[in-house]
Amino acid sequence: MRCLLILAHPRRDSLCGALFDAYAQGARQAVVDCRERGTFPAVLKGFLDRVLTPGFAFHHDDQGQLSKLLSGRTADLITTMDTPPLIYRFIYRAPGRQALVCATLGYCGIRSARIEPFEPVISAVAGQRQQWLDRARTIGSRLRAGALSSPQRCAPCSRLARGVTASVLSDDVDRAAMRKGIVLSILVAAGAVATLVAVTPMASPGTTVAIYALLALLALAYTVPPLKLSYRGLGEIDVAFTHSAGAIMAGYLAQGGHWADSTPWLLALPLGLAVLPSILLAGCPDRKADQAVGKHTLVVLLGPHAAVRLELMNLGPDFLLRIQRHQDELAVIRCVAHLAKCVVLDCQTLDVLYVEAFHYHSLKGLD
């Protein structure tokens, strides 16, 4: 593996220079061929303008379509700053990071695998700075296993999902940062529930807190040990429940309803039967990646054809529950009947099934 290291700071004997050296040391220990370049911010822009040129980094054809010529390459970004993190991210909207990650590297197909900010520098004591140096060295040494971590190689997903997956699958994570994120998430969730209870006097505080706590546990149990429902063939059921009965019950209780009433459960039934097939269908393209990391989803356990058949079995009751509201349901039933025929005949490729299924969703005109 070849790695280009760029120091974008005017002084070589600065904290940024020390972080640069620590990362380079870790990368060399990982037996990576490193080539170093030292630049300061203005020259960094000039460096990128001269290197990421049309024909080398990207290309536009006659129709204006963009081709990202550096796809498959990754970048680790290590930054320092003194701006308070919350102000930088939520008020300034992280302009420097967005410009580099999205408008520059991303435009050429370079994926930002890791973004590690060290902040604030001005108030950091010697011990904190040493922890930063150790962290930079650790990030560099990770290149031994490749530019991407195991969770990043499995399947594309959101940043939050990647972070949760990394905390489960990888032993080499920043535990302090993970704990900080978990605590912050709990505080934000608790504040949101407290606000909801305060503005909805008709709701029972105890019941409202209990249902939201249950939904939070189910959300964590999808990936987090010891349950790890998504690895045991129960993740799809978990998602179908939380996205149907869970969501409806949360709103129903906030408006003064009772959990034992039949109304929210009846309303959730067709929604749950619609969500479950969608999750099953979404798991088909990820079957091999999930199987490779030991993630036993229903698609992995049953196989793609059996999973699609199970999807169709759930769509039937969903149609019957909705037929009074949708006049074009007969056309949809004919479409799904054709899809069922394809499944029974065991067609050679699942691509036909995916096209038919997405065509069905467009005909149904829901969600």
Side-chain angles (χ1 to χ4, degrees):
M1 179 188 296
R2 292 181 297 175
C3 179
L4 175 64
L5 306 182
I6 303 172
L7 172 61
H9 195 279
R11 296 199 315 273
R12 189 67 177 81
D13 59 345
S14 61
L15 174 61
C16 287
L19 292 170
F20 176 85
D21 292 335
Y23 183 95
Q25 180 183 357
R28 291 193 190 95
Q29 291 174 353
V31 196
V32 176
D33 178 17
C34 298
R35 300 183 181 183
E36 302 175 5
R37 296 291 184 269
T39 62
F40 56 90
V43 173
L44 175 62
K45 184 178 185 306
F47 172 81
L48 295 174
D49 288 342
R50 287 166 176 78
V51 172
L52 305 181
T53 55
F56 170 73
F58 59 91
H59 172 71
H60 291 95
D61 59 21
D62 295 337
Q63 285 74 38
Q65 295 295 322
L66 172 66
S67 296
K68 301 181 179 182
L69 303 182
L70 297 182
S71 296
R73 294 167 173 82
T74 62
D76 287 349
L77 306 180
I78 298 178
T79 64
T80 61
M81 67 177 183
D82 284 321
T83 305
L86 294 179
I87 293 178
Y88 181 75
R89 295 169 188 170
F90 299 110
I91 297 181
Y92 294 162
R93 306 296 295 176
R97 185 182 303 173
Q98 294 295 336
L100 186 57
V101 172
C102 301
T104 305
L105 299 178
Y107 191 81
C108 304
I110 301 176
R111 176 180 175 182
S112 297
R114 299 177 185 88
I115 302 175
E116 192 73 28
F118 296 116
E119 56 201 9
V121 174
I122 193 171
S123 60
V125 298
Q128 179 66 61
R129 297 190 180 206
Q130 184 58 50
Q131 291 180 9
W132 291 347
L133 296 176
D134 295 339
R135 176 63 178 163
R137 190 176 299 108
T138 299
I139 296 174
S141 65
R142 286 180 174 179
L143 296 177
R144 187 191 311 274
L148 298 177
S149 64
S150 297
Q152 289 173 320
R153 289 194 296 268
C154 292
C157 51
S158 67
R159 289 184 181 179
L160 177 60
R162 270 206 309 269
V164 173
T165 305
S167 68
V168 175
L169 298 181
S170 176
D171 294 328
D172 187 17
V173 296
D174 189 341
R175 299 291 178 181
M178 186 174 67
R179 286 193 294 269
K180 181 180 178 181
I182 291 175
V183 171
L184 179 61
S185 299
I186 292 175
L187 291 176
V188 171
V193 173
T195 302
L196 179 64
V197 172
V199 300
T200 53
M202 296 177 60
S204 169
T207 305
T208 302
V209 171
I211 189 65
Y212 277 91
L214 175 62
L215 293 177
L217 289 175
L218 289 175
L220 291 173
Y222 181 81
T223 303
V224 176
L227 295 180
K228 296 177 66 173
L229 298 179
S230 62
Y231 288 76
R232 307 174 188 274
L234 299 174
E236 293 85 352
I237 299 175
D238 183 16
V239 173
F241 177 80
T242 55
H243 286 61
S244 57
I248 291 177
M249 185 62 69
Y252 188 76
L253 293 177
Q255 298 178 68
H258 192 273
W259 67 270
D261 295 343
S262 60
T263 301
W265 298 105
L266 292 176
L267 290 173
L269 184 58
L271 184 57
L273 292 174
V275 171
L276 183 58
S278 300
I279 300 300
L280 289 172
L281 187 64
C284 289
D286 298 332
R287 180 175 61 89
K288 292 183 179 179
D290 290 337
Q291 191 172 19
V293 298
K295 188 175 182 180
H296 299 144
T297 64
L298 283 179
V299 178
V300 172
L301 294 175
L302 301 176
H305 289 282
V308 174
R309 293 189 183 100
L310 179 60
E311 176 190 3
L312 295 176
M313 291 172 59
N314 282 274
L315 289 177
D318 180 42
F319 286 147
L320 296 177
L321 291 169
R322 296 167 182 255
I323 197 168
Q324 297 297 328
R325 293 196 298 119
H326 297 280
Q327 301 301 320
D328 61 344
E329 205 69 65
L330 292 179
V332 180
I333 293 176
R334 285 196 295 270
C335 173
V336 176
H338 174 61
L339 176 57
K341 182 179 179 181
C342 291
V343 177
V344 172
L345 294 178
D346 195 20
C347 59
Q348 295 180 350
T349 174
L350 282 176
D351 291 341
V352 176
L353 301 181
Y354 299 149
V355 172
E356 291 282 358
F358 283 117
H359 179 57
Y360 145 68
H361 282 293
S362 66
L363 280 179
K364 193 168 67 169
L366 298 175
D367 301 327

